[in-house]
Amino acid sequence: MPRAPDTGTRTDERARTLLRLLDADDLDAAIEAGLAGFDADAAPALPATDRERLRAARDRLLAAWAARDRHRARNARLARRATEREAGRTPPAAATDKPRLPAAAAAALARAKARAGGNGA
């Protein structure tokens, strides 16, 4: 029965693949190959300089993603505030009924109609 490859060997192969992709400046393929979650210290057969290159590339990627998330959150927050500000500036919709008179004017009109003998209609 064939033996399964050692986990360390697979990790070293994966590290070499990631390094090749980074050297070819194919960051998208490196991301798809698992750069963001790769632990460079788990590849003991690699030279320390290569492990550091992988660690630095991963850290730059994670920092860029965090910055992108902060930027998106800021834009959403600014858009929400602008919408709330616009909603506060919009005048209320006009009522379909006749405009209401102030209380003092309505009372004066009612008295005038009563004196004139009108029924208020």
Side-chain angles (χ1 to χ4, degrees):
M1 181 168 236
R3 229 174 60 152
D6 182 60
T7 305
T9 304
R10 281 185 280 163
T11 302
D12 291 339
E13 289 171 7
R14 187 170 163 211
R16 284 188 205 92
T17 300
L18 288 171
L19 285 168
R20 275 194 306 276
L21 293 170
L22 290 172
D23 289 341
D25 202 26
D26 193 353
L27 190 57
D28 290 333
I31 291 169
E32 289 178 19
L35 176 62
F38 187 73
D39 180 14
D41 294 324
L46 286 179
T49 56
D50 287 344
R51 285 196 307 269
E52 182 54 35
R53 282 179 50 211
L54 284 170
R55 194 176 301 112
R58 182 201 60 209
D59 292 348
R60 283 191 309 270
L61 174 65
L62 295 177
W65 283 352
R68 179 189 61 191
D69 290 343
R70 287 190 306 273
H71 180 73
R72 286 178 176 170
R74 178 182 180 274
N75 283 345
R77 193 171 49 252
L78 291 175
R80 187 188 74 241
R81 287 179 183 169
T83 301
E84 290 170 354
R85 195 171 35 252
E86 270 308 305
R89 291 181 187 163
T90 305
T96 57
D97 298 336
K98 292 193 275 183
R100 298 187 67 136
L101 292 174
L109 181 61
R111 284 192 301 273
K113 284 184 179 182
R115 269 185 264 139
N119 61 5

